[in-house]
Amino acid sequence: MAGAPSDFINYGLFRGEVEKEQRILLQYDRIVFQFPFYWYSCPPLLKKWFDDVLTFGWAYGPGGENLLGKEFMLAIMTGGTEVSYRSGGDNSSTISEFLRPIEKTLARCNGTLLPAFVAYGVKRASAAELAETAAKYMEFIRSPRAVLVH
């Protein structure tokens, strides 16, 4: 692929490693997808990963019960403020509205979708604010399901 970034070319899925990625998913009860919020969605490489790894007959559809009972969580970082991701804000929609397609994809995979962790305004955050957000993030992803889902 001419002109593609080297990390994209070297990514394992282009060498037939889908099964390896699927085996990794089977090892964990909670799967956290952490990514920067990029043009109102996940980065393209993560979307490709969803397409290649979460396959019909493995993750969903007849026989697609490998992820049954897994917990899925999104952890995203935005450059924009929390206010900008409100109805009527700069982005015209809430972060929950923007995340629905990804959440629907994961829900289709027979797992339990947990609330998302969102770090807003990371581009302008100080080192102290980032450290505080990191501590909140670690606490959030380690929280029992009962604490996260009311």
Side-chain angles (χ1 to χ4, degrees):
M1 198 164 18
S6 62
D7 60 342
F8 193 77
I9 291 171
N10 293 327
Y11 190 67
L13 297 183
F14 296 101
R15 293 188 301 260
E17 295 189 5
V18 169
E19 295 82 12
K20 178 182 175 187
E21 296 288 318
Q22 290 173 335
R23 283 193 304 274
I24 291 169
L25 290 175
L26 295 174
Q27 295 176 23
Y28 299 95
D29 295 326
R30 179 173 289 176
I31 301 159
V32 179
F33 294 96
Q34 177 182 313
F35 56 92
F37 201 54
Y38 183 83
W39 284 107
Y40 306 106
S41 188
C42 63
L45 191 54
L46 180 56
K47 173 62 168 90
K48 173 136 182 62
W49 186 92
F50 287 148
D51 293 344
D52 291 349
V53 175
L54 305 178
T55 56
F56 182 81
W58 189 85
Y60 68 98
E65 298 175 354
N66 286 289
L67 301 176
L68 185 66
K70 302 285 185 186
E71 296 177 342
F72 297 115
M73 180 183 288
L74 302 177
I76 65 170
M77 293 72 53
T78 72
T81 64
E82 188 171 2
V83 172
S84 68
Y85 287 99
R86 292 187 179 159
S87 185
D90 293 341
N91 294 302
S92 303
S93 298
T94 66
I95 201 77
S96 294
E97 291 169 322
F98 285 121
L99 292 176
R100 280 195 186 120
I102 299 168
E103 292 173 344
K104 187 67 176 166
T105 297
L106 296 173
R108 175 92 179 195
C109 294
N110 302 303
T112 300
L113 189 62
L114 298 176
F117 179 87
V118 183
Y120 293 98
V122 296
K123 286 172 58 173
R124 293 177 190 86
S126 68
E129 290 168 326
L130 290 174
E132 181 182 344
T133 298
K136 288 178 183 176
Y137 172 55
M138 294 307 296
E139 180 182 346
F140 188 86
I141 65 172
R142 291 178 175 152
S143 295
R145 180 172 154 184
V147 171
L148 297 171
V149 179
H150 306 286

